[in-house]
Amino acid sequence: MTKMDIFIAEEGTYNMYSNQQTQEDDDDFGTQGRKIKQKKEIEQKVSKKMREKLPARYFAALDTQSILEPDDLRKTVHELSLFYSDPIGLTLPALNYPLLLFKHIRDLALPLDLYPAVRRTAKLLDIDFTFPRAKTRQKISFFPEIALMALLVVVVKIYHPFDFIDRHPRTLSDPGVLAVNWDYWCKVQQEYEFRETAGGTLGHGNEVKVTEADSFQLSGDQIDEYLDWFEKSFIDEERARKHPRGYPDQLLDMFPTGRPGKSINTSVSPALQHQDDEEALQRKLRAVQGSLKVREVISDSDDATRDGGTVNRIGSFYKRYRKVEELSPAAKAFHEAAAKSVAIKLPSLLVGVQQMEHKLLSWRRKRLRADEKSDSNEAASQEV
């Protein structure tokens, strides 16, 4: 690796996926809650002569005019972690998963009793949420943030499955004593995603989601906001003036791309946008948490004297989904929201969940074999 390789890797990742707060006058725009540094700012750090000498594989890292797709962040961060760990010998710190887990549970409006359940499951499986090493076999569940979300999905399927089977805890302190109404959760989640933004604007980061059909429903201020964002993000007027084959200055002055006179900023300030998002999230939390129902508690002693067959316990009839087509409407809505939280595609999340389920099954088999061996040894010692 040369110094240019290190520079391109750092600049390509930082400038494309920086999550730092920026001022309104920066040349940035948001996609999926993240900031993307535009080509104007990168060109200030990389001279024109240097860019002309770069190999073709570096152009994509410096040119950020394309819209990010899900999984791009995961792949880039994963490649950067392998780059630092293998040739350089640096180890990235482990994920601060307690805070991130609480954020995921809060954003998805899930019962808080899932928090200790996920941490216990991670401890059972010896998952430390560190980045994988270069010499190990790479799986999608090895990426720490996806592993955390996959664990959360597995625990949700254990304690709050997406079917209509009645399950009963043994005591009121058991996890899963509260039942989630998934139909109502889907309704509230849809209202949250398609809510109106503060001030009737497009909302920060929603400009890239505008389609041709949406343009007929936009107000005048929203159209101005979209065009201002497009000019700020993609149009480089200075390059057109300096380019040998560019239009003459007289023609550019006759047809300016920006607004005449002083530019009017129609976008909502980041502080107001954050306040609007927080209020919408609080409304979703109050609505979902208020709809939780307490399951009927049936102890083991009551189960022995109960007529009508065996009582279904928490975790029974666990459903495994291998394809997107197998998901029920409620399960698909939840998995889509979970995948969006970690910026990956829905099939990628299903693969990570399947790998986590396989790991959990392997732990259970080892535990059963260890218990059987312990029982046989104890029986042999009693015979002697």
Side-chain angles (χ1 to χ4, degrees):
M1 283 290 180
T2 62
K3 292 183 178 180
M4 177 57 65
D5 294 321
I6 299 175
F7 176 79
I8 292 296
E10 292 179 345
E11 290 299 319
T13 302
Y14 172 78
N15 288 315
M16 291 178 65
Y17 306 109
S18 175
N19 194 24
Q20 298 177 352
Q21 293 293 330
T22 57
Q23 301 296 326
E24 295 181 11
D25 55 351
D26 288 344
D27 292 325
D28 307 340
F29 70 94
T31 300
Q32 296 179 352
R34 294 173 175 84
K35 304 289 182 179
I36 306 176
K37 302 289 183 179
Q38 288 307 293
K39 190 175 182 181
K40 297 178 185 178
E41 183 173 344
I42 300 177
E43 288 181 347
Q44 297 177 0
K45 298 182 180 181
V46 184
S47 63
K48 183 178 180 181
K49 293 183 179 180
M50 182 181 292
R51 283 186 278 108
E52 292 176 351
K53 302 295 183 180
L54 288 177
R57 66 179 183 273
Y58 293 140
F59 291 161
L62 294 177
D63 188 358
T64 61
Q65 295 190 17
S66 59
I67 298 176
L68 286 180
E69 295 292 338
D71 286 337
D72 288 343
L73 176 65
R74 172 185 63 85
K75 293 178 181 178
T76 304
V77 174
H78 180 64
E79 292 174 358
L80 187 61
S81 65
L82 296 180
F83 166 74
Y84 278 124
S85 63
D86 189 18
I88 301 181
L90 296 178
T91 302
L92 297 181
L95 191 71
N96 188 10
Y97 75 96
L99 295 178
L100 191 57
L101 174 60
F102 177 77
K103 180 180 181 300
H104 288 327
I105 293 176
R106 184 173 181 267
D107 292 344
L108 296 174
L110 298 173
L112 195 57
D113 58 0
L114 296 177
Y115 181 85
V118 173
R119 298 197 63 174
R120 287 195 302 266
T121 307
K123 186 176 181 179
L124 290 176
L125 301 180
D126 294 329
I127 300 177
D128 53 4
F129 301 101
T130 57
F131 287 87
R133 306 290 294 182
K135 296 182 180 180
T136 60
R137 183 183 178 184
Q138 306 299 317
K139 293 183 178 180
I140 191 172
S141 60
F142 288 176
F143 191 75
E145 191 168 349
I146 298 180
L148 180 61
M149 181 56 70
L151 268 178
L152 179 58
V153 172
V154 170
V155 173
V156 167
K157 291 166 63 178
I158 292 175
Y159 294 108
H160 305 282
F162 304 99
D163 52 31
F164 299 97
I165 301 176
D166 292 331
R167 295 171 177 84
H168 304 277
R170 291 179 172 84
T171 62
L172 286 174
S173 60
D174 289 350
V177 68
L178 297 175
V180 177
N181 186 346
W182 286 112
D183 292 336
Y184 186 72
W185 185 93
C186 294
K187 177 183 177 181
V188 175
Q189 180 68 19
Q190 187 176 15
E191 293 175 353
Y192 173 77
E193 292 180 351
F194 295 96
R195 68 189 185 278
E196 293 185 0
T197 56
T201 61
L202 291 175
H204 182 67
N206 295 327
E207 296 89 351
V208 292
K209 302 177 184 178
V210 175
T211 61
E212 296 178 358
D214 297 333
S215 61
F216 294 99
Q217 302 176 359
L218 298 178
S219 63
D221 293 338
Q222 290 176 338
I223 293 177
D224 289 338
E225 181 184 358
Y226 177 80
L227 294 178
D228 288 344
W229 164 82
F230 190 90
E231 177 188 4
K232 191 177 182 181
S233 304
F234 294 102
I235 298 179
D236 192 351
E237 190 171 340
E238 293 297 328
R239 181 180 180 183
R241 293 180 181 274
K242 297 179 180 179
H243 200 275
R245 297 183 181 181
Y247 297 103
D249 294 343
Q250 295 82 357
L251 185 61
L252 292 176
D253 294 335
M254 292 176 61
F255 302 95
T257 58
R259 303 191 197 186
K262 186 178 180 180
S263 178
I264 301 175
N265 187 10
T266 59
S267 61
V268 180
S269 63
L272 184 58
Q273 182 70 37
H274 175 74
Q275 181 181 357
D276 180 68
D277 295 341
E278 184 65 22
E279 291 177 354
L281 180 59
Q282 289 293 338
R283 291 194 298 268
K284 181 177 75 168
L285 285 171
R286 287 193 294 266
V288 175
Q289 298 298 323
S291 66
L292 298 177
K293 301 296 183 182
V294 180
R295 290 189 172 107
E296 181 185 1
V297 177
I298 301 178
S299 61
D300 292 334
S301 58
D302 295 338
D303 186 12
T305 59
R306 182 184 177 92
D307 297 332
T310 306
V311 176
N312 297 325
R313 294 298 183 183
I314 304 296
S316 60
F317 301 102
Y318 183 87
K319 177 67 174 178
R320 301 180 65 184
Y321 303 103
R322 299 184 179 277
K323 299 180 181 178
V324 178
E325 294 77 12
E326 299 177 359
L327 295 171
S328 63
K332 185 176 182 180
F334 172 77
H335 282 74
E336 287 177 346
K340 185 178 179 180
S341 298
V342 290
I344 61 174
K345 296 180 180 179
L346 180 56
S348 301
L349 178 62
L350 289 181
V351 173
V353 172
Q354 292 172 18
Q355 295 175 359
M356 200 61 64
E357 290 171 343
H358 179 72
K359 185 177 295 186
L360 193 59
L361 289 175
S362 299
W363 172 85
R364 186 170 182 271
R365 295 191 189 99
K366 293 180 181 178
R367 181 68 178 270
L368 290 176
R369 285 196 295 265
D371 292 343
E372 291 176 358
K373 185 177 180 180
S374 177
D375 294 339
S376 62
N377 294 336
E378 182 179 355
S381 61
Q382 290 179 358
E383 292 178 359
V384 175

